[in-house]
Structures are given as structure tokens and as C-alpha cells.
Amino acid sequence: MTDEKAGGYGRRPRPEPPEPLPAPTVDAHTHLDACGCVTTDDVAAALDRAEAVGVTRVVTIADDLDAARWAVAAANSDSRVAAAVALHPTRTAAVSEDDFAEIERLAADPRVVAVGETGLDFYWDHSPPEAQETWFRRHVDLAKRLGKPLMIHDRDAHADVLRVLRSEGAPETVVFHCFSGDAAMARECADAGYVLSFAGPVTFKNSHDLREAAALVPEEQLLVETDAPFLTPHPHRGRANEPYCLPWTVRGLAAVRGVSDERLAGVAGRNAERVFRLGELPPIVPELALGANGRRSP
């Protein structure tokens, strides 16, 4: 997620639903709040739309404190939703210890399945690289202490992200959200045991290097995501994205890898269940859920 958060995606019309997938799968990275979800009913409606086309679970991601509080509440509002929380690298210019202490507390919630998205972003000029790296390292440590996957945001910062992971010692599970590297980087990440998640750009006509990378990732290290409401896949690029749009990315990625839609959907879904331990999630806690106004219930 980036500063496009304020770019009007929620006001753009959504595409008509795609043909349902032949096997269930998981949207490994979405932003339900930025998709326009506020209340429990909003979350349920978005998940109903997704489930109708074979997307049976989602991981909703936070990029600041308000989003983190909302994501934890959303994950306790619907059993099909899990959460990940962190401070996005573009939000790290003025982080306090109190801010990070609250992220630590929220990340410990049993329905939070990853620390993220965190990393480095040298595309946007909103936070100094030094601050980004400092807080990235703190998130790496948090993921290791909690024993949860680390979800990476890497934009125009491939070499530095890998450098930090090497110097800090990566957590047991590292997920590169919306992987954007080339084949050489994909090989390096795969050799390190990292999980690579692919979003709408793998379907874009000019993404030759990305498709080459996607073709060589070992099957057991592959995830699919929407990053909704951003990065809507072809043929609806530029329109509002939502978890129900994932089948277009699944089909595009399946074509790149030369496998059936059913195989790709099934593999990605099983990988997400394993990586995020979705089968171990506890029941939702209604008192932590969203209320009618989008805040936690009393």
C-alpha cells in the first residue's frame, strides 16, 4: 500500500465479477479498509463477493496505527479474515516508541498472522531512508520475537531490503508482498527460502521481467494477492480492485507458469494456509470486532 491510499480508488467503479475459480484460494494481501469497508456488514459483503468466485479467505493489511487497529477488529468480525499489522516504510518519518509499542501489542493478537507490511520504499519521498531502515529492523526483530511471518514491502529498494534481511537474520518465514524483482532476484529470494506473492502487475502486458521471475519460483514458495484496492489486474487495470478480482491474477499467473487455473489456485491457497497458519486461527472475539460505526465494539 502506498500514498495512493488517498487517490480515489474507492470511488472508481468495480469490474463485474470474473468467472469463479475451479478451486478455492486465498488473497494473501489486501486492504479492506482502503477498499471502502468500514463496518462489520461491509467486511461480510466484501468476503461474500470474494467467496462467490472462489476466494475463501483474505489477509487484510495495515500500514499505520489506525489501519492496524481496524484490521485487528476486522479479523475479529469475520472468520474468513486474518490481519497483518505494521508501520509502512513511508509512514516512518516520525514514529514514536509509544506508536511502536501499540504495533507490538496489536501484532500479538492471535488473529494477526504476520508483521507487515514493512520494508523499504525509495519510490515515494515521504520518509528518510535512515528512518525506514531503523524501523524495518525493528519490525524484523518483532516478527522473530512473535514467531510470525514478516511481510515485506519492497519498492525500488531490492538490494537494500536483502541487505537488511541478511544483516539482521531473517525470521523463519519471509513473504515478499507484490514481488517486483526480476528473475535474478527471484532466484536469490527462492534460494533463501522466502515466499513470493504476485499481484495484478504479473498480468500487465509490459511486465516481461516480472513474468520471467514468476515462472521460476518453486511452487511451494508462491502466493497470490490483490493488494486491493490497488493494482487491478488486466483487463481492468486502473479500476477499483477488491478480493473478488483475484481470479484474473490467478489465471494470468497460471498461464505464465504453464499450469491449470485449478492447480495454481489450489497451490496458492494451500501455501497461504500453511504460511499464515490459517487453520490454527482461534474463533473471532466479538468484543474486539467492528461496530456499526467501524470502530471496535464496546
Side-chain angles (χ1 to χ4, degrees):
M1 194 175 189
T2 71
D3 270 19
E4 293 168 293
K5 184 175 183 178
Y9 276 79
R11 296 189 296 273
R12 298 181 185 180
R14 294 192 298 259
E16 290 298 312
E19 180 182 348
L21 291 167
T25 199
V26 175
D27 184 351
H29 187 114
T30 191
H31 300 270
L32 290 177
D33 56 340
C35 290
C37 293
V38 177
T39 67
T40 298
D41 288 346
D42 295 336
V43 171
L47 268 294
D48 288 347
R49 288 190 289 272
E51 193 167 22
V53 296
V55 182
T56 56
R57 287 181 182 266
V58 307
V59 183
T60 192
I61 315 300
D63 69 339
D64 61 21
L65 264 179
D66 285 343
R69 298 181 190 110
W70 188 91
V72 173
N76 279 286
S77 297
D78 194 302
S79 61
R80 298 168 291 182
V81 179
V85 302
L87 299 172
H88 190 281
T90 62
R91 309 286 196 261
T92 56
V95 179
S96 71
E97 289 295 336
D98 286 345
D99 293 338
F100 195 72
E102 185 164 3
I103 288 293
E104 289 187 325
R105 181 182 64 79
L106 291 166
D109 187 278
R111 292 195 64 85
V112 171
V113 297
V115 174
E117 57 187 284
T118 180
L120 301 173
D121 188 317
F122 298 156
Y123 177 84
W124 296 103
D125 187 24
H126 297 317
S127 181
E130 297 79 9
Q132 292 190 43
E133 184 168 323
T134 294
W135 291 106
F136 180 25
R137 290 178 184 273
R138 294 285 295 273
H139 283 91
V140 172
D141 174 69
L142 176 60
K144 290 194 287 188
R145 284 190 282 115
L146 292 177
K148 294 186 178 185
L150 181 75
M151 185 177 287
I152 299 290
H153 173 99
D154 166 25
R155 191 165 188 186
D156 292 356
H158 302 328
D160 287 293
V161 166
L162 294 173
R163 172 181 56 80
V164 170
L165 289 173
R166 286 192 297 267
S167 66
E168 286 294 311
E172 181 178 353
T173 303
V174 173
V175 177
F176 272 76
H177 130 70
C178 191
F179 182 79
S180 58
D182 60 12
M185 184 181 176
R187 288 191 188 94
E188 183 171 354
C189 289
D191 289 346
Y194 303 154
V195 178
L196 308 186
S197 184
F198 291 88
V202 78
T203 70
F204 298 170
K205 293 180 179 179
N206 61 346
S207 297
H208 304 295
D209 290 347
L210 183 59
R211 286 199 292 274
E212 184 180 356
L216 60 81
V217 177
E219 191 171 74
E220 66 275 11
Q221 291 170 253
L222 186 76
L223 295 175
V224 289
E225 63 171 85
T226 57
D227 198 21
F230 317 109
L231 303 178
T232 312
H234 178 80
H236 299 290
R237 186 176 182 178
R239 299 182 70 179
N241 200 5
E242 203 178 273
Y244 79 85
C245 298
L246 188 63
W248 284 301
T249 297
V250 168
R251 293 188 167 102
L253 188 54
V256 165
R257 292 176 63 87
V259 299
S260 69
D261 302 347
E262 182 175 14
R263 182 172 184 85
L264 196 289
V267 163
R270 290 189 294 273
N271 287 346
E273 295 275 349
R274 184 191 77 247
V275 166
F276 298 121
R277 299 195 286 263
L278 298 180
E280 301 173 22
L281 286 178
I284 61 174
V285 180
E287 58 264 32
L288 297 180
L290 294 169
N293 60 0
R295 298 174 183 169
R296 283 192 179 185
S297 300

